[in-house]
Amino acid sequence: MRRFGRLARPAALLCLFVGPLAAQEVRLSDEPRGAAQEALAAFLARGGYEVWTSDTILARGDTVEGHVLLLEGAGRIAGRVEGDVYVVDGDLILRVGGSIGGDVVVLAGLLLDSDLATVEGAITYRPNERLRVIPEAGGYTIFAVQRPLPAVELDGQYGFHLPTYQRVDALTFAWGATVRAAHAAGQPELGGVVRYKTGPDDVEGSVRAAWNASERVRLFAAASRATRSNDEWIRPTWVNTLMFAFAGDDYRDYYRADRAGAGVEWGIRRAPDWRGGTDVTLTVGAAWEEARSVEARDVTILFAADDARFNPAIDPGDIYSAWVGLAVEDRREDSRTRLGLTLEGSTEDIGGDFSFLRAEARLALKRPILSTHSLDVFAIGRGDLAGTLPGQRWSGLGRIGTLPTFPVLSLRGERLLYGEATYALPLYSAGTLGALEAFLRGSAGTAWSEGESFRLRENATLGLRARVWGVGLEVGVASGFGGDNDESDVQVYVDLRLDRPTGGRGLPLF
């Protein structure tokens, strides 16, 4: 081993000086795709790095003052690199005593770390990133190898969606697929979903088309006949299905609508460093909608009475509207911030039956507190800024998922305001599988209409939550305060919890 170290040092010094003397240019062949390639592009544009293009050893006691870019070969580091080390389609072996002063990023290669090596920055390992290096005149080109999309793609399992169950359609089965010209410019695609509803014994569906004008711009159009709700933010569809089937609690109000529209979506991803990045999506579109009321049905509930809650009527008619949506997500090593903003405007001047301007904002935060503790915050506000909202744009809240001591969606109106903050204390952790936590949640909100006074309702909840693969099973005791509850001031509940959607992509067309 000592003989190998003495022989390796001259070889390492030779390899280190080849890159700078050759003035090799390294470039990406195409526009970066995804956060990994965005970060690589920024590194290449920054310059000031040495290029290693063959097996290289940096022996103990040797130092590289700047950054290193390793292409294809294997780099064995027992010495010191003052800056960042980027590896593309190669292998990096950190040996005992090795030291990196910046970040380590390995793309499409192998990383072998040592507990006795030191990396002062972040370590990012992306072995499945599809990048290849091709020597060309004057330097090297890094190609992004894309896996071709299938010409025919079935939704879910063999095209089948999870069945849904609720009080106006009963049991619904759905099947969908997408066909695309995978090798054509923009990869145009056409997809659709067919749904069969056992309640009204009816068939409905959706059709959609999309075309990628560029890496960041996507054009889309869609038409559908579907049962819709403004209350999806409270809980996912499959959770609502389970709650209704077992306990008879349907946390949504519904209406039926024919809808057609088109729009454009522009997205950009910023990755300032490997500790996180920011995604921004801007959506602009226009749509037509014809809506009608539906009635609740008496359907079978396993462990509760079969009397379904009343489904409120809407204002039937046509809506011609335009919308703009903005979605922003910022991710860091141990925190996340998501923001969604939507503005929809409709006018009777072009043939519709309603004129209004509706706004919606959603915010979700995840933050570590006191090392292993965490704080989750969610807030939503929506309502009319001008005109009068028809019933098909009203919202509601109440019962578990929002305010547990109030009846299901008992607070309903043109305007809605709701927020909650959850402080979690871990009791037991099973790593990536999940954890057992104690939590304390404060929630407040209300829904009201023109002519009604604004009156905030509050709940405080204490409970236990078991998280397994991102799904939280809660057992909690909620208490209302303020003296304005319609039922008991104390409510014991069991709930399934997931992250709430933050919206910001405009009016859903599918």
Side-chain angles (χ1 to χ4, degrees):
M1 293 298 293
R2 291 179 180 177
R3 178 181 299 176
F4 177 77
R6 289 195 296 269
L7 293 176
R9 183 169 298 189
L13 293 175
L14 178 62
C15 290
L16 291 178
F17 282 108
V18 167
L21 292 176
Q24 300 168 97
E25 180 185 2
V26 181
R27 53 193 171 269
L28 282 173
S29 62
D30 298 308
E31 188 80 6
R33 299 183 178 93
Q37 295 177 34
E38 290 275 4
L40 177 60
F43 177 82
L44 297 178
R46 183 174 61 190
Y49 51 82
E50 298 184 4
V51 182
W52 298 356
T53 59
S54 60
D55 291 354
T56 305
I57 300 173
L58 184 64
R60 183 173 300 179
D62 292 335
T63 300
V64 176
E65 297 294 338
H67 308 294
V68 170
L69 174 63
L70 173 62
L71 304 177
E72 294 190 292
R76 297 169 173 84
I77 296 181
R80 168 73 174 176
V81 177
E82 295 289 350
D84 300 333
V85 176
Y86 272 64
V87 180
V88 179
D89 199 16
D91 302 329
L92 178 64
I93 298 96
L94 298 178
R95 290 183 165 174
V96 174
S99 177
I100 310 295
D103 295 340
V104 169
V105 179
V106 178
L107 309 177
L110 177 66
L111 171 62
L112 295 178
D113 195 5
S114 170
D115 292 338
L116 299 179
T118 302
V119 178
E120 298 175 13
I123 298 178
T124 302
Y125 184 29
R126 299 286 188 273
N128 297 322
E129 192 73 25
R130 299 177 64 82
L131 295 173
R132 295 294 180 267
V133 179
I134 305 296
E136 293 187 342
Y140 294 83
T141 299
I142 300 174
F143 285 87
V145 182
Q146 277 193 308
R147 182 175 298 164
L149 294 172
V152 179
E153 187 172 7
L154 302 179
D155 297 351
Q157 292 293 323
Y158 304 102
F160 291 99
H161 297 215
L162 285 174
T164 62
Y165 197 56
Q166 35 93 327
R167 69 185 191 283
V168 301
D169 292 333
L171 189 62
T172 300
F173 301 95
W175 186 92
T178 300
V179 295
R180 63 172 60 88
H183 300 288
Q187 296 182 327
E189 63 181 37
L190 180 66
V193 176
V194 177
R195 291 179 287 270
Y196 173 69
K197 302 176 177 182
T198 60
D201 192 20
D202 192 15
V203 176
E204 64 177 27
S206 306
V207 62
R208 62 187 184 276
W211 178 68
N212 299 307
S214 69
E215 288 290 336
R216 295 176 175 171
V217 178
R218 181 177 177 86
L219 307 178
F220 61 89
S224 68
R225 171 169 290 180
T227 299
R228 300 187 175 276
S229 174
N230 296 318
D231 309 311
E232 295 95 339
W233 64 272
I234 297 177
R235 57 184 65 250
T237 299
W238 68 270
V239 176
N240 191 70
T241 291
L242 291 177
M243 297 297 288
F244 182 64
F246 284 88
D249 288 334
D250 190 343
Y251 292 86
R252 299 180 182 182
D253 289 329
Y254 302 95
Y255 67 96
R256 196 157 292 150
D258 296 334
R259 186 178 288 178
V264 57
E265 183 179 271
W266 178 80
I268 185 171
R269 173 169 291 177
R270 297 291 187 190
D273 56 44
W274 276 103
R275 294 172 178 84
T278 303
D279 293 335
V280 180
T281 303
L282 177 67
T283 308
V284 179
W288 159 83
E289 177 185 288
E290 181 186 19
R292 51 202 175 273
S293 301
V294 290
E295 295 183 357
R297 300 174 183 274
D298 292 330
V299 293
T300 301
I301 306 299
L302 295 180
F303 302 113
D306 292 347
D307 297 331
R309 182 172 58 86
F310 171 74
N311 190 63
I314 62 162
D315 300 309
D318 292 333
I319 295 177
Y320 290 90
S321 65
W323 80 85
V324 58
L326 177 67
V328 180
E329 181 174 3
D330 183 76
R331 304 171 312 281
R332 300 297 158 180
E333 280 185 304
D334 50 6
S335 63
R336 184 171 62 176
T337 303
R338 295 178 294 157
L339 173 67
L341 301 172
T342 302
L343 189 66
E344 180 193 11
S346 176
T347 177
E348 300 177 35
D349 296 337
I350 56 176
D353 297 314
F354 309 99
S355 293
F356 60 84
L357 182 62
R358 178 183 68 94
E360 177 185 294
R362 304 189 198 185
L363 174 68
L365 303 174
K366 284 182 175 291
R367 293 287 187 274
I369 303 292
L370 300 176
S371 181
T372 59
H373 302 193
S374 66
L375 177 67
D376 288 6
V377 176
F378 174 81
I380 179 172
R382 55 166 56 153
D384 53 327
L385 300 180
T388 302
L389 281 183
Q392 51 268 44
R393 293 294 186 271
W394 286 29
S395 306
L397 69 158
R399 191 78 170 112
I400 56 178
T402 53
L403 298 171
T405 63
F406 288 83
V408 177
L409 298 188
S410 58
L411 306 173
R412 191 170 186 271
E414 300 169 85
R415 300 158 193 164
L416 178 142
L417 185 64
Y418 176 77
E420 65 179 33
T422 304
Y423 183 89
L425 169 66
L427 302 177
Y428 172 78
S429 176
T432 58
L433 293 178
L436 178 65
E437 303 170 331
F439 71 89
L440 174 64
R441 176 179 299 122
S443 55
T446 189
W448 74 105
S449 299
E450 188 70 27
E452 297 179 352
S453 61
F454 175 84
R455 188 170 54 188
L456 202 63
R457 277 80 167 185
E458 304 89 8
N459 275 184
T461 304
L462 180 65
L464 295 176
R465 176 172 59 196
R467 289 191 296 104
V468 181
W469 293 306
V471 179
L473 176 62
E474 291 186 359
V475 178
V477 179
S479 175
F481 52 94
D484 193 1
N485 286 2
D486 297 335
E487 285 191 341
S488 171
D489 287 339
V490 176
Q491 181 71 42
V492 180
Y493 71 87
V494 179
D495 189 22
L496 287 173
R497 277 263 177 162
L498 287 86
D499 288 345
R500 301 183 191 270
T502 44
R505 294 182 180 269
L507 196 68
L509 295 175
F510 306 141

